[in-house]
């Protein structure tokens, strides 16, 4: 569904992503794991066209999307839930969600999606009229994911959904990610919490300083000694 | 929705008629002498222009520091139309359309390269543009003698009476309000708040910046076109840096993101300046810059969000739809 080939991304002279390739197949949850500064967010930002790559090609459903504008990418159903949530603090929860459906014209469908989001996140329903900026961190994360769902994503790019959340809320969010996937949305998940990410993902790629250093199905990676030592906090 | 909105529209229309009747009454009884009626017209013209900057800067977050230049383009181009074709109502309306169109067109051409960059670049570009326009007006007589150059342009038929100015002011308020409350307006506010957020929900950022900029400058052009037909003397210095600052102060003082604030402050600002001019006499010109600086400092210290914050009132407040409940906030 999504193919990334030989992607290199620079910030000025700094190379953040070096010649990486990976793919996400329809129906999968794929995770990119790696330490701080490994280039995970940069990769997602490049896919959603917020930044331009120096080299490489990105195709989505056999269409080259490397040179599209961000809003055109959204139009294809490739939806990015960015790091740090980026919800609009001055808009109510409901208005933030409505923004997520910005490109949709099917009024009835939008209302239906809104009901679905509220059913999945009852806390958002309770806070419908509250300003986004006054939500707790966890609620903001739910709102960010909910806003992504309002666009009817074919592929959802999630950047560190567990950032700043308590262990219980982290479990909750990952459970929700699992159900979103089971309902038919393909997911590319970026995480520092490798333990949780490898629980929900089918396959994983490990990034180190801008390169893919390892990849495979989650089970295999979970059992790998190097992964256990470096990312799962075990003493080798 | 229909009922609540309808009621507000009725109240607004009633208010407009009441204000009109009041002004006429005060004028007839002599409470408002021709001098203050002139200032009132100026305040309404200022309101039209300031609403334009309010949409560009307050609503959409695009910093423009050359608003008076667009006002000037509207004034000169509209003035040229009636100066050459005469001041009958039809030509006058043609002149207003020309002024508004020219300002909008120039904004579009500036926006094409500049609005792809961040808002800071628009500030720099419009600052430079303001200076160029002033120099252009100063020397315009070398190309078009009718424009008068540095000595100013005269001979424009003075056909813009209170009625015309009032009608166009109300029209501008309604247009700005409808834009801000539409989905397009929400997109502009979203990109002001967070460009990444706007990008990831599929808002074409460039297009909405352009919409706001062209709309706002068109209003500035319309205001300038009215001005040219109300004040018999157009001088390049009326459209340079300091008048641009006037517009900025009005938007910031009224509250970024509040059309209500812009309208009230624009009217108040013109009367305040005129009052100061009366009190201080000729020294006013010297103290003007100091007064601006003091006012801005006071606002930043006492009420940073401006007089109205980002709140809207009455007709300008967003419609609360039934389905969305009664307690929805009135944030802009
Ligand atoms: N806007 C920027 N300008 C310059 N360098 C940047 C910019 N954004 C990221 N970088 C650099 O690019 C590299 C990769 O950053 P990126 O945000 O992709 O990392 P990450 O894997 O998402 O890390 P984290 O887990 O901490 O979010 C880092 O070295 C970072 O300092
Ligand atoms: Mg990151």
């Amino acid at each position: 569904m999504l193919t990334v080939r030989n992607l290199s991304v620079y910030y000025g002279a700094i190379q953040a992503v070096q010649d990486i390739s990976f793919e996400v197949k329809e129906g999968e949850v794929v995770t990119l794991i790696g330490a701080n500064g490994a280039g995970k967010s940069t990769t997602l930002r490049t896919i959603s066209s917020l930044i331009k790559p120096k080299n490489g090609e990105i195709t989505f459903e056999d269409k080259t999307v490397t040179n599209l504008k961000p809003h055109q990418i959204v139009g294809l159903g490739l939806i990015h839930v960015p790091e740090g949530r980026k919800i609009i603090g001055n808009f109510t929860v409901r208005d933030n969600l409505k923004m997520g459906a910005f490109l949709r014209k099917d009024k009835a469908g939008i209302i239906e999606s809104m009901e679905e989001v509220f059913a999945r996140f009852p806390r958002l329903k309770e806070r419908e009229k509250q300003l986004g900026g006054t939500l707790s961190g966890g609620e903001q994360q739910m709102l960010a994911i909910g806003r992504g769902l309002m666009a009817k994503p074919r592929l959802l790019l999630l950047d560190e959904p567990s950032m700043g959340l308590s262990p219980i809320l982290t479990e909750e969010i990952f459970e929700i990610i699992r159900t979103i996937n089971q309902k038919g949305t393909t997911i590319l998940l970026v995480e520092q919490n490798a333990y949780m990410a490898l629980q929900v993902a089918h396959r994983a790629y490990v990034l180190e300083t801008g390169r893919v250093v390892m990849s495979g199905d989650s089970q295999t990676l979970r059992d790998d000694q190097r992964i256990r030592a470096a990312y799962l906090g075990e003493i080798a | 929705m229909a009922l609540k909105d309808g009621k507000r529209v009725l109240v607004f229309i009633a208010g407009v008629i009441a204000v009109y009747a009041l002004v006429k009454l005060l004028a007839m009884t002599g409470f408002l002498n021709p001098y203050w009626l002139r200032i009132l017209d100026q305040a309404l013209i200022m309101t039209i222009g300031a609403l334009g900057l309010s949409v560009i800067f307050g609503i959409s977050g695009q910093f423009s520091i050359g608003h008076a230049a667009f006002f000037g383009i509207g004034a000169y181009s509209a003035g040229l139309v009636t100066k050459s074709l005469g001041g009958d109502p039809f030509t006058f309306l043609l002149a207003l359309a020309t002024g508004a169109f020219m300002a909008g067109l120039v904004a579009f051409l500036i926006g094409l390269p500049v609005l792809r960059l961040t808002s800071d670049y628009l500030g720099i570009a419009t600052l430079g543009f303001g200076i160029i326009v002033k120099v252009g007006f100063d020397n315009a007589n070398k190309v078009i003698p009718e424009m008068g150059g540095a000595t100013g342009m005269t001979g424009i038929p003075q056909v813009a009476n209170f009625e015309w100015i009032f009608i166009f002011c109300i029209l501008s308020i309604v247009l700005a309000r409808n834009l801000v409350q539409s989905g397009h307006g929400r997109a502009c506010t979203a990109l002001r708040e967070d460009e990444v957020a706007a990008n990831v929900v599929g808002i074409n950022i460039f297009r909405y910046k352009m919409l706001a900029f062209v709309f706002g400058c068109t209003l500035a052009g319309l205001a300038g076109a009215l001005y040219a037909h109300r004040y018999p003397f157009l001088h390049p210095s009326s459209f340079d840096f300091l008048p641009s600052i006037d517009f900025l102060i009005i938007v910031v003082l009224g509250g970024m993101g509040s059309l209500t604030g812009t309208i009230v402050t624009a009217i108040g600002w013109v009367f305040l300046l005129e009052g100061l001019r009366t009190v201080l006499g000729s020294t006013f010109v010297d103290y003007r810059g100091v007064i601006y600086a003091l006012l801005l400092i006071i606002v930043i210290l006492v009420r940073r969000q401006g007089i109205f914050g980002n709140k809207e009132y009455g007709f300008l407040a967003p419609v609360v739809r039934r389905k969305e409940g009664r307690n929805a906030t009135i944030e802009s």
Side-chain angles (χ1 to χ4, degrees):
Chain A
M1 181 179 227
L2 177 81
T3 320
V4 172
R5 265 189 231 106
N6 306 109
L7 192 72
S8 294
V9 189
Y10 287 74
Y11 293 105
I14 305 164
Q15 184 161 20
V17 167
Q18 312 189 15
D19 196 34
I20 66 169
S21 299
F22 63 92
E23 66 168 337
V24 181
K25 298 196 199 87
E26 180 140 26
E28 277 189 315
V29 177
V30 171
T31 182
L32 300 179
I33 54 178
N36 289 114
K40 308 179 298 292
S41 299
T42 302
T43 304
L44 292 196
R45 284 200 283 265
T46 312
I47 294 171
S48 61
S49 218
L50 295 176
I51 43 180
K52 295 280 162 225
K54 178 139 189 187
N55 293 306
E57 194 191 28
I58 301 164
T59 58
F60 180 60
E61 301 191 311
D62 300 324
K63 189 172 183 281
T64 302
V65 297
T66 325
N67 291 317
L68 295 186
K69 295 268 181 318
H71 64 95
Q72 294 171 313
I73 302 267
V74 173
L76 296 174
L78 212 171
I79 308 300
H80 185 179
V81 178
E83 184 173 22
R85 290 111 195 200
K86 301 288 179 190
I87 57 165
I88 295 177
N90 258 332
F91 282 14
T92 60
V93 166
R94 175 176 274 273
D95 284 353
N96 267 287
L97 290 176
K98 249 205 235 159
M99 267 295 148
F102 186 75
L103 290 180
R104 289 176 63 184
K105 299 280 172 277
D106 54 326
K107 276 216 163 123
I110 294 173
I111 291 171
E112 199 179 303
S113 295
M114 183 93 72
E115 292 311 317
E116 279 170 27
V117 169
F118 282 146
R120 188 158 283 147
F121 301 104
R123 278 196 223 207
L124 293 184
K125 174 77 185 161
E126 291 160 24
R127 289 168 172 74
E128 202 181 325
K129 285 153 212 149
Q130 196 172 322
L131 291 183
T134 64
L135 297 178
S136 77
E139 290 158 359
Q140 289 191 4
Q141 187 60 60
M142 294 176 190
L143 181 55
I145 296 176
R147 182 182 65 190
L149 292 175
M150 290 297 294
K152 277 215 160 180
R154 311 249 312 109
L155 171 61
L156 198 56
L157 311 175
L158 295 175
D159 197 342
E160 302 217 22
S162 75
M163 186 163 62
L165 302 191
S166 70
I168 294 176
L169 216 52
T170 302
E171 295 257 1
E172 206 177 296
I173 288 281
F174 276 100
E175 201 40 53
I176 287 164
I177 292 170
R178 201 194 302 272
T179 39
I180 291 170
N181 174 246
Q182 279 161 1
K183 288 230 168 143
T185 307
T186 311
I187 292 173
L188 176 57
L189 171 68
V190 156
E191 261 300 336
Q192 284 216 38
N193 188 336
Y195 178 81
M196 291 301 294
L198 290 173
Q199 299 272 329
V200 290
H202 302 106
R203 291 190 303 114
Y205 294 83
V206 181
L207 250 63
E208 262 171 32
T209 55
R211 294 175 190 281
V212 175
V213 292
M214 209 185 281
S215 64
D217 62 78
S218 300
Q219 184 59 51
T220 317
L221 287 182
R222 268 203 309 258
D223 296 338
D224 186 279
Q225 280 310 316
R226 284 163 300 169
I227 298 290
R228 295 174 81 97
Y231 297 105
L232 301 178
E234 283 185 20
I235 299 149
Chain B
M1 166 201 160
L3 199 108
K4 190 137 195 251
D5 197 26
K7 199 166 137 196
R8 262 203 299 213
V9 171
L10 283 182
V11 170
F12 177 71
I13 293 172
V16 167
I17 295 171
V19 168
Y20 178 78
L22 183 70
V23 169
K24 283 284 140 186
L25 190 75
L26 289 176
M28 236 152 47
T29 53
F31 272 104
L32 275 173
N33 61 26
Y35 173 77
W36 285 107
L37 282 171
R38 237 172 94 90
I39 304 303
L40 178 64
D41 286 351
Q42 193 187 335
L44 296 181
I45 289 171
M46 200 69 184
T47 302
I48 298 173
L51 277 171
L53 189 63
S54 194
V55 169
I56 297 170
F57 185 41
I59 303 292
S60 314
Q62 302 307 302
F63 186 57
S64 169
I65 201 166
H67 205 58
F70 296 97
F71 186 93
I73 289 173
Y76 274 96
S77 53
L80 268 179
V81 171
T82 42
K83 191 173 173 179
S84 13
L85 300 178
D88 61 90
F90 175 75
T91 341
F92 174 53
L93 286 176
L94 180 70
L96 294 185
T98 307
F101 175 79
M102 289 304 288
L105 177 68
V106 173
F108 177 75
L109 294 175
I110 292 177
L112 274 183
V114 175
L115 290 176
R116 295 189 192 278
L117 312 171
T118 57
S119 169
D120 312 342
Y121 289 96
L122 183 65
I124 296 165
T126 47
L127 177 65
F129 175 70
I131 295 166
I132 293 170
V133 167
K134 161 83 160 64
V135 173
F137 290 155
D138 276 338
N139 296 289
N141 56 331
K142 287 164 193 157
V143 186
I144 308 171
E146 287 81 5
M147 285 178 73
T151 54
M153 178 173 177
T154 52
I156 301 165
Q158 296 300 294
V159 288
N161 55 19
F162 173 73
E163 277 72 18
W164 281 119
I165 295 167
F166 188 69
I167 286 170
F168 278 103
C169 185
I170 300 301
L171 189 71
S172 304
I173 292 173
V174 172
L175 279 177
R177 176 250 196 198
N178 287 356
L179 173 69
V180 168
Q181 289 186 16
S182 70
H184 302 305
R186 296 299 281 173
C188 290
T189 309
L191 79 85
R192 173 195 75 195
E193 293 287 311
D194 192 323
E195 288 204 5
V196 172
N199 265 318
V200 299
V201 299
I203 292 170
N204 183 345
I205 294 208
F206 172 69
R207 186 159 135 205
Y208 282 100
K209 284 181 185 174
M210 186 63 101
L211 172 73
F213 190 52
V214 170
F215 177 87
C217 290
T218 302
L219 281 193
L222 173 66
L226 287 164
Y227 179 91
H229 295 87
R230 182 66 180 87
Y231 303 95
F233 181 55
L234 297 186
H235 193 269
S237 69
S238 307
F239 312 113
D240 69 357
F241 185 67
L242 216 51
S244 286
I245 298 293
D246 275 35
F247 283 117
L248 269 176
I249 288 182
I250 289 167
V251 172
V252 173
L253 209 60
M256 294 273 287
S258 169
L259 296 178
T260 316
T262 300
I263 296 164
V264 172
T265 313
I267 294 171
W269 183 249
V270 170
F271 278 93
L272 175 75
L273 285 193
E274 207 48 43
L276 286 173
R277 205 191 299 273
T278 314
V279 174
L280 295 176
S282 58
T283 51
F284 168 75
V285 181
D286 305 330
Y287 285 112
R288 190 165 167 169
V290 181
I291 293 165
Y292 285 17
L294 274 178
L295 252 169
L296 279 180
I297 291 169
I298 292 171
V299 171
I300 288 166
L301 289 178
V302 178
R303 201 171 160 79
R304 196 168 303 174
Q305 72 275 38
I307 298 167
F308 285 82
N310 63 357
K311 301 274 190 292
E312 300 284 13
Y313 294 91
F315 172 69
L316 294 167
V319 179
V320 182
R321 285 175 194 81
R322 262 291 160 70
K323 255 191 242 122
E324 302 191 10
R326 281 145 290 149
N327 303 322
T329 50
I330 49 168
E331 250 61 36
S332 70

